[in-house]
Structures are given as C-alpha cells and as structure tokens.
Amino acid sequence: MLENDTEHAARRTDVIGADGVRLAAWEYGRGGGPESLAPAGGGPQGAGAAEPGVLLLHGLMGRASHWAGTARWLAERHRVVAFDQRGHGDSERPADGLLTREAYVADAEAVVEALGLGPVTLVGHAMGALTAWQLAARRPDLVRALVIFDMRASALGAASQRRWEDWFRTWPVPFPSLGEARRWFAEEDPWLAGGRASARGDFHAEMLARREDGWRPVFSRRQMLRTRETWVLDAHWDELAQVGCPTLVVRGMDGELGRAEAMEMVRVLPRGEYAEIPDAGHLVHYADPDAWRTATEPFLNGVLTG
C-alpha cells in the first residue's frame, strides 16, 4: 500500500514485520511538499539509499505522526522514516501473544532492511528508545547511531504496572468529541494532579479515532498493558552495554528519567553522550520542538555527516 500524507509531506508504505504483521511507515520528503518525496524504498540499491537514514520510534500508545515536527527538519538533509509500531496507529493489531519485545525489535529491523535505511540512526522515545537500543545491540551492522529519550534502563517494577492499570480505568471512553478528549487529557486526567498541559491534550488526541459511539483509542488498552508488561519487570543494562555506536541519552528535567540514572546510562554505554533539556517533560519532542531540536541536532549532525 502506498499513499501520500500531504499534511505532513510524507508518503506511506506498508512493511511486513515479524509474524507477518503489517506495519504502516511514512517517509518524509524534503522542502515540505509531496513532490519532494524520495522514491519508495526498495532495499539497499533503491533510490536514496546512499543518504544517511533516520528511523523515528514512538513510545507506548504513540504513533508516527508524533514525530512530524522532528521529521520535517531532519528531512531537509536526510532520509527520514517513522512507523506505527505493532498494535499502534495504522499498523495491524496482532494477537496478544505477539506483543513480545523480540517482535517489536524484529519489526524495526524489518523496516530498516525493507526500506534500505541501514546503517541507520535510530531516534527513540520511551518504549521506542528501548526498541532502538535492543536493535543496536542485536544488529550493530544496521545501526550507525542512537538517540535515547526518556527511557530508563532499570526495572520499573510491578507497582508501576498496577498504576497504569488503574490509570486506564479512569479514562471516560468513549469521549463525546475530540475537544472533550483534549480537555480531559490536558486538564482533568488524575495523573496531572490538578495541573494543566495543553500539548498533552493534543498528543493524546492524535491517538483517538471516531467510532459510532464517540472517540476511542486506536489501540487496545489491554494490549498496551501486555506490551508494557514485557519490559517493566526487567532491567536492560546488559543490552545497553552492548550498544557500540555513538549514543545520545536525552532527558527533560521534569521527565521520567532521573539525572543519576541517565548519567549511569551514559557511563555504561561505550560511546555515550548526555543532553538535558530544562523545563521539559516526557513529551518535549512534541510539546517544545525547538528545545528538542536544540538538544539533539548537534549530535545528529555529527553522526549523520561524519
């Protein structure tokens, strides 16, 4: 399947991932228009394959469109692809038993190889960052460099999983309108503890689709819990230590990755670097794209042009 997304100057192409799961991927064009899109990837010999490739990996419940701002500036000079991971966005929702860490990593590997992106620079947010470093550890030949954003290497524990289960129960699904959904996630969500975050409302609204009875998530919340269960009880330091490529660990000061753990991750990585974004949280790449670009562009320019 091949189609254009003129809003984000991106062309969609479907890739078959692990277990035959269909994955929706988008390649972003240069210059902001669909006429600038590179031809469809066809493996290492395809058009554009000599350009440095970048693969953007969203986090749990996310989707490729959350990277649109990052993709636009990267695509000015580089070949950029983002895809909806299995069970997310427009990609296929597989059986519960196919939501393993191995499957998520194999999917990313399949996208890199099918579109001829390797050796690729991986940019991952949260769960996507874990997928990225697990792929870099497994297939160093495919990965040029890595950006890890707001993902911990330590086990989060069973209490963290229970908190997510409780949170999902608070969602007033279906939402009567997209505006009501934005308002709930930006103002009324109990996780905000009385705070307000307008960008958070927009971020979550992109995860919803209109159904007969209202607006519902494009994913199964049960499957999101099953997916999360595959990593929260385990630490991932050993795999991190196997990542030999240049790696930037990024944290927002108000995000989920603490400074002490981030610095330990940099120490464990053979070629680790560190960047911190002041006054930023878990969604800074979406909520404050200028701050995100300032923190990551020097590293990305170095690895993509070096």
Side-chain angles (χ1 to χ4, degrees):
M1 176 179 180
L2 202 62
E3 62 185 41
N4 286 338
D5 175 359
T6 55
E7 178 184 357
H8 295 123
R11 181 180 55 198
R12 172 175 165 174
T13 182
D14 286 359
V15 174
I16 301 303
D19 317 303
V21 171
R22 178 190 53 77
L23 306 169
W26 284 263
E27 181 160 352
Y28 288 78
R30 297 180 178 182
E35 69 282 352
S36 64
L37 291 168
Q45 302 304 315
E51 298 179 78
V54 182
L55 182 62
L56 306 171
L57 295 160
H58 64 74
L60 187 73
M61 303 188 302
R63 60 189 312 167
S65 62
H66 286 148
W67 286 114
T70 298
R72 277 193 290 269
W73 60 263
L74 277 171
E76 294 171 3
R77 299 175 60 187
H78 310 294
R79 190 173 175 217
V80 183
V81 173
F83 78 100
D84 290 339
Q85 297 182 65
R86 61 177 52 214
H88 294 73
D90 290 334
S91 288
E92 188 175 352
R93 187 184 296 182
D96 288 2
L98 302 180
L99 297 169
T100 63
R101 275 283 84 216
E102 292 75 14
Y104 277 95
V105 175
D107 285 347
E109 182 179 0
V111 171
V112 172
E113 293 192 317
L115 300 184
L117 294 171
V120 69
T121 294
L122 302 173
V123 180
H125 172 229
M127 178 193 77
L130 176 59
T131 298
W133 89 61
Q134 289 179 327
L135 176 57
R138 175 189 294 186
R139 290 291 307 274
D141 58 306
L142 281 186
V143 182
R144 173 195 298 256
L146 178 62
V147 175
I148 295 170
F149 172 47
D150 214 28
M151 181 64 191
R152 297 176 59 184
S154 297
L156 300 178
S160 171
Q161 188 72 351
R162 289 193 297 271
R163 184 169 178 248
W164 272 69
E165 292 171 0
D166 293 342
W167 177 53
F168 275 145
R169 293 190 190 102
T170 69
W171 288 26
V173 174
F175 294 97
S177 70
L178 203 55
E180 289 292 331
R182 284 194 181 96
R183 180 162 49 253
W184 191 84
F185 284 110
E187 302 176 21
E188 301 170 12
D189 187 337
W191 271 16
L192 293 170
R196 180 184 174 88
S198 58
R200 187 176 185 273
D202 293 336
F203 185 90
H204 283 274
E206 287 194 39
M207 306 175 187
L208 305 177
R210 190 170 189 172
R211 308 300 185 203
E212 289 186 1
D213 59 349
W215 291 81
R216 292 182 175 273
V218 296
F219 50 78
S220 159
R221 285 172 287 172
R222 184 196 71 251
Q223 287 200 336
M224 294 301 99
L225 288 171
R226 290 289 298 270
T227 293
R228 194 172 185 272
E229 190 176 44
T230 63
W231 86 73
V232 297
L233 302 180
D234 299 315
H236 306 283
W237 293 101
D238 290 345
E239 293 159 303
L240 192 69
Q242 296 170 33
V243 177
C245 63
T247 302
L248 179 68
V249 177
V250 185
R251 67 174 292 267
M253 289 184 66
D254 299 321
E256 298 179 8
L257 175 62
R259 178 179 287 136
E261 182 165 354
M263 296 305 295
E264 181 62 11
M265 290 169 68
V266 173
R267 189 193 68 79
V268 166
L269 285 159
R271 302 173 67 185
E273 301 179 32
Y274 177 72
E276 185 172 281
I277 307 176
D279 302 318
H282 186 62
L283 304 179
V284 64
H285 65 303
Y286 184 90
D288 192 348
D290 290 339
W292 167 253
R293 180 172 182 173
T294 297
T296 58
E297 189 172 30
F299 173 83
L300 289 169
N301 281 346
V303 297
L304 287 167
T305 59

